[in-house]
């Protein structure tokens, strides 16, 4: 955890008001009884006004120079000496029904909230240098101060939620958000500025849950803290989207987060994806495969060449499935290279390439380069265009096993998708070995599961009869602390595996339609997403309502 002073110094370094050379030089020359900020100001490396302006910007406040401001004596009468000295505030003047108040520590949120409750006017806070605040507290209210240097107070105070005294309130708040997200098994954290507040939501088992709101005035400071934690994002740039990564320790858990900011009407919206490295060690049963599908998939991922495609919408677990496949076939005698945008997890023993479109490192460019590295297996994060698809096809036809993803609703639809982007049908038939569509459904909580019955409506939608559900282990979650009273905990996959047999390959060459391919694939034994979901309902692993929800497009 950073202290207040470390937080502020990082802000100064990021904004360019302080350079690293000056900082390192002062570090070895500061006196034993002074802080780094005090030493930096004393040696002229940064001005107290710069410190105050930086804090003001990141607290979403305006800066005020009290030496030049006109102070209204009537405003001073509104604030008694005890309140002014206790909270270190200076009343400046009135505006309508409100009052301008100068503060030296915009990050002391507890003090600011207390001032709001104490005053009869609605305060609008402005940030001023701490030395000016003290001088006026002495001249107006007769305050006396010891030898404590003002910059220590500018950096802010506060209690720590990790038993480290002196952590800044904004640091505590961001840490608390990360900690609660981890404890609640969230996959994403959404921090969104609204008209009057900041909304914090967690995505848990695929569903968004509103967990907290915070005053809108904290927005700039929260965003700045997150950007500083990333180490690569600019706190000065608020008009353009930015991406970064954060490695943070929450309790005894090391978290890897992918950060994305987007400017909105209310300010920058942030989404942090929590990358759970434990998913890398998942086997096919943990992903949701039953034994028969496991056997099919084991055979497919051990083929010497060809393309294996995983399809589905964003958030359907395609990347997790591909990583699990690579993890299973990652052996010392195989060279595996991936091309990803972005690289979400670092896989031991695998060469991973990050796509960077802004410098010309596209999927296609990266693929052309890695083919000269003589890999056995290639994983392409996504086939987006004809060029990438063509290179993948050629790689598979020259002895490489290629894994990739497509955005299609079902498995047979991937054939039409590849044809639509310009790939010849005979190449699709020759190169593609299998296509698997998948979705994620919420799993019934194992802590509070209890037997239940499927409703008549659900039976009609899932095309079940009484004979099929006889003896089945149909479960529902009653709701408990472990699942946040939702009845669900964790997610599993439902799958549709479309194998390109010799017969299917001939149908693709003859340009048969997707419905025709789908009909024949089902006759050859392919289970649809909904049918695989029904198996998992009857096995007690998920609910009928979940399967209906995620397979609405499956009308077969």
């Amino acid at each position: 955890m950073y202290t207040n002073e470390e937080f502020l110094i990082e802000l100064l370094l990021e904004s360019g008001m302080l350079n690293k050379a000056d900082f390192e030089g002062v570090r070895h020359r500061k006196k034993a009884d002074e802080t780094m900020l005090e030493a930096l100001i004393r040696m002229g490396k940064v001005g107290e006004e710069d410190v105050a302006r930086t804090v003001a910007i990141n607290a979403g406040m305006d800066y005020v120079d009290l030496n030049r401001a006109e102070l209204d004596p009537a405003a001073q009468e509104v604030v008694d000496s005890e309140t002014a000295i206790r909270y270190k505030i200076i009343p400046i003047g009135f505006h309508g029904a409100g009052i301008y108040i100068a503060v030296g520590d915009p990050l002391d949120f507890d003090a600011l909230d207390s001032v709001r409750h104490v005053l009869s006017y609605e305060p609008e806070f402005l940030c001023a240098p701490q030395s000016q605040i003290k001088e006026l507290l002495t001249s107006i209210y007769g305050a006396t101060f010891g030898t404590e240097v003002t910059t220590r107070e500018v950096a802010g105070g506060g209690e720590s939620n990790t038993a480290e005294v002196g952590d800044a309130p904004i640091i505590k708040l961001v840490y608390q958000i990360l900690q609660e997200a981890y404890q609640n098994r969230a996959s994403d954290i959404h921090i969104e500025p609204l008209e009057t507040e900041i909304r914090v939501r967690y995505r848990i088992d695929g569903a968004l849950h509103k967990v907290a709101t915070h005053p809108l005035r904290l927005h700039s400071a929260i965003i700045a803290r997150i950007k500083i934690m990333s180490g690569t994002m600019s706190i000065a740039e608020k008009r353009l989207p930015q991406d970064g990564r954060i490695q943070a320790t929450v309790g005894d858990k090391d978290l890897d987060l992918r950060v994305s900011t987007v400017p909105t009407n209310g300010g920058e919206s942030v989404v942090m994806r929590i990358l759970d490295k434990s998913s890398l060690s998942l086997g096919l049963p943990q992903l949701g495969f039953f034994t028969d599908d496991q056997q099919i998939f084991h055979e497919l991922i051990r083929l010497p060449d060809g393309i294996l495609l995983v399809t589905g919408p964003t958030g359907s677990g395609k990347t997790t499935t591909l990583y699990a496949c690579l993890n299973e076939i990652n052996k010392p005698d195989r060279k595996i290279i991936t091309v990803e945008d972005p690289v979400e997890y670092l896989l031991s023993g695998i060469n991973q390439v990050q796509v960077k479109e802004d410098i010309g490192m596209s999927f296609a460019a990266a693929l052309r380069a890695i083919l000269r590295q003589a890999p056995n297996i290639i994983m392409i994060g996504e086939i987006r265009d004809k060029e990438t698809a063509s290179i993948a096809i050629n790689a598979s036809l020259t002895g490489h096993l290629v894994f990739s993803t497509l955005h299609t609703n079902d498995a047979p639809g991937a054939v039409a998708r590849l044809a639509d982007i310009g790939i010849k049908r005979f190449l699709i038939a020759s190169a593609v070995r299998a296509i698997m569509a998948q979705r994620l459904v919420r799993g019934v909580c194992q802590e509070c599961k209890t037997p239940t019955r499927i409703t008549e409506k659900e039976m009609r939608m899932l095309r079940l009869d009484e004979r099929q559900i006889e003896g089945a282990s149909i479960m529902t979650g009653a709701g408990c602390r472990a699942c946040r009273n939702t009845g669900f905990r964790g997610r599993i996959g439902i799958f549709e595996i479309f194998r390109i047999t010799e017969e299917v390959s001939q149908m693709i060459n003859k340009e048969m339609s997707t419905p025709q391919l789908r009909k024949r694939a089902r006759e050859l034994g392919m289970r649809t997403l909904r049918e695989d979901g029904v198996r998992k309902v009857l096995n007690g692993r998920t609910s009928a309502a979940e399967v209906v929800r995620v397979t609405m497009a499956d009308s077969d």
Side-chain angles (χ1 to χ4, degrees):
M1 290 291 292
Y2 287 142
T3 63
N4 306 339
E5 185 177 63
E6 289 170 334
F7 175 59
L8 184 50
I9 288 173
E10 288 230 30
L11 288 179
L12 293 170
L13 288 167
E14 179 69 25
S15 66
M17 292 183 180
L18 174 66
N19 65 62
K20 288 189 177 181
D22 286 342
F23 173 72
E24 293 298 332
V26 171
R27 184 202 295 271
H28 304 293
R29 296 162 53 200
K30 81 176 188 71
K31 298 177 182 177
D33 60 347
E34 66 181 351
T35 67
M36 272 301 301
L37 273 175
E38 292 168 0
L40 288 166
I41 292 173
R42 176 177 60 82
M43 297 182 191
K45 303 303 182 183
V46 66
E48 187 184 9
E49 180 180 325
D50 293 334
V51 175
R53 286 184 183 276
T54 301
V55 177
I57 290 171
N58 288 279
M61 288 185 189
D62 289 331
Y63 171 82
V64 62
D65 184 345
L66 293 178
N67 292 333
R68 300 182 180 181
E70 294 185 10
L71 305 183
D72 187 344
Q76 296 166 17
E77 295 178 2
V78 172
V79 181
D80 62 75
S81 60
E82 181 180 351
T83 298
I85 295 171
R86 179 178 181 181
Y87 298 114
K88 296 183 175 62
I89 60 174
I90 297 295
I92 298 174
F94 298 100
H95 64 98
I99 184 172
Y100 289 113
I101 298 290
V103 298
D105 183 6
L107 301 181
D108 189 351
F109 305 122
D110 292 335
L112 301 189
D113 285 338
S114 297
V115 171
R116 284 191 174 89
H117 288 97
V118 169
L119 299 184
S120 56
Y121 291 83
E122 177 63 28
E124 179 173 338
F125 295 108
L126 308 174
C127 183
Q130 192 60 243
S131 62
Q132 295 181 9
I133 295 282
K134 284 196 169 186
E135 289 173 6
L136 289 172
L137 286 174
T138 299
S139 62
I140 297 173
Y141 297 104
T144 58
F145 298 93
T147 58
E148 183 183 20
V149 180
T150 59
T151 51
R152 184 177 298 137
E153 295 178 357
V154 172
E159 298 174 359
S160 169
N161 64 342
T162 57
E164 294 183 21
V165 178
D167 286 340
I170 206 68
I171 296 176
K172 290 170 53 182
L173 177 57
V174 173
Y175 179 86
Q176 180 183 354
I177 290 171
L178 297 180
Q179 184 180 48
E180 289 180 350
Y182 166 66
Q183 291 173 345
N184 286 284
R185 302 176 297 103
S187 61
D188 301 270
I189 303 168
H190 295 248
I191 302 176
E192 305 154 317
L194 305 180
E195 289 185 1
T196 59
E197 64 186 14
I198 305 167
R199 178 176 65 186
V200 179
R201 295 190 290 175
Y202 299 153
R203 188 177 295 279
I204 303 171
D205 296 334
L208 279 172
H209 300 266
K210 178 180 174 181
V211 294
T213 59
H214 299 289
L216 192 58
R217 60 185 170 77
L218 305 186
H219 178 254
S220 295
I222 291 173
I223 302 302
R225 172 60 182 158
I226 291 170
K227 288 180 177 179
I228 285 173
M229 290 176 71
S230 79
T232 58
M233 303 171 74
S234 171
I235 64 172
E237 180 56 73
K238 302 180 181 180
R239 301 166 299 171
L240 296 174
Q242 294 189 66
D243 295 300
R245 295 183 78 114
I246 292 174
Q247 290 185 327
T249 301
V250 175
D252 59 351
K253 177 74 172 181
D254 291 329
L255 296 185
D256 192 7
L257 301 101
R258 194 177 76 214
V259 186
S260 171
T261 66
V262 172
T264 68
N265 288 338
E268 290 179 282
S269 176
V270 175
V271 175
M272 290 183 281
R273 167 69 57 87
I274 301 175
L275 303 175
D276 184 6
K277 294 181 180 179
S278 63
S279 65
L280 298 182
S281 60
L282 293 179
L284 298 182
Q286 288 75 36
L287 293 178
F289 284 94
F290 279 148
T291 305
D292 51 355
D293 284 341
Q294 281 184 56
Q295 182 62 38
I296 294 172
F297 212 62
H298 271 295
E299 294 174 7
L300 292 172
I301 64 178
R302 284 168 172 76
L303 291 172
D305 55 29
I307 296 179
L308 302 180
L309 292 173
V310 180
T311 76
T314 300
S316 58
K318 301 186 296 296
T319 301
T320 298
T321 297
L322 289 181
Y323 277 146
C325 293
L326 294 182
N327 193 53
E328 188 154 329
I329 59 178
N330 183 16
K331 307 296 181 185
D333 61 342
R334 296 172 181 168
K335 180 159 186 171
I336 303 175
I337 304 181
T338 74
V339 182
E340 305 172 64
D341 184 22
V343 173
E344 293 195 356
Y345 302 96
L346 298 179
L347 303 173
S348 177
I350 293 177
N351 301 278
Q352 295 173 268
V353 178
Q354 168 75 57
V355 168
K356 295 181 180 179
E357 296 279 357
D358 57 335
I359 61 171
M361 187 65 150
S362 63
F363 273 107
L367 273 172
R368 284 193 294 268
I370 68 173
L371 285 174
R372 293 192 287 272
Q373 297 283 311
N376 302 105
I377 299 165
I378 300 168
M379 192 270 270
I380 307 168
E382 181 184 349
I383 292 179
R384 300 177 178 176
D385 51 44
K386 180 181 179 181
E387 189 177 11
T388 303
S390 297
I391 298 172
I393 293 280
N394 290 334
S396 70
L397 294 175
T398 54
H400 303 85
L401 182 60
V402 180
F403 294 91
S404 191
T405 69
L406 273 178
H407 286 282
T408 61
N409 289 329
D410 64 357
V415 173
R417 171 66 179 144
L418 288 172
D420 287 344
I421 63 177
I423 304 301
K424 301 293 186 183
R425 290 269 180 162
F426 77 89
L427 290 174
I428 299 172
S430 301
V432 179
R433 298 288 181 263
I435 304 163
M436 184 178 76
Q438 72 174 62
R439 299 289 189 278
L440 293 177
V441 293
R442 292 180 292 174
V444 172
C445 178
Q446 298 301 300
E447 299 293 324
C448 62
K449 66 179 181 180
T450 183
T452 189
R453 287 187 59 82
I454 300 179
T455 67
E456 290 186 10
K457 180 180 179 181
E458 290 169 341
M459 287 184 66
R460 287 196 305 272
M461 297 190 74
L462 297 179
R463 299 184 179 180
L464 290 170
D465 56 39
E466 291 292 342
R467 179 183 54 82
Q468 290 172 290
I469 65 174
E470 185 178 345
S473 301
I474 302 170
M475 297 289 173
T476 188
C480 64
R481 185 174 181 180
C483 63
R484 293 171 54 93
N485 293 314
T486 64
F488 298 100
R489 184 175 172 86
R491 291 191 289 175
I492 60 172
I494 58 174
F495 308 98
E496 177 178 285
I497 304 177
F498 177 38
R499 301 188 74 169
I500 310 299
T501 62
E502 183 64 32
E503 180 182 349
V504 171
S505 178
Q506 292 176 7
M507 292 178 69
I508 294 172
N509 273 323
K510 294 176 182 178
E511 300 190 3
M512 295 291 189
S513 67
T514 297
Q516 289 173 310
L517 290 174
R518 185 173 181 81
K519 181 175 182 295
R520 186 55 183 150
R522 294 196 64 194
E523 291 170 352
L524 292 172
M526 183 189 81
R527 269 185 298 271
T528 67
L529 288 165
R530 178 163 288 187
E531 288 169 343
D532 191 47
V534 167
R535 292 204 300 167
K536 283 151 190 174
V537 171
L538 300 180
N539 191 251
R541 301 186 68 179
T542 188
S543 73
E546 271 294 286
V547 173
V548 170
R549 178 180 67 84
V550 301
T551 61
M552 290 299 291
D554 190 349
S555 58
D556 290 344

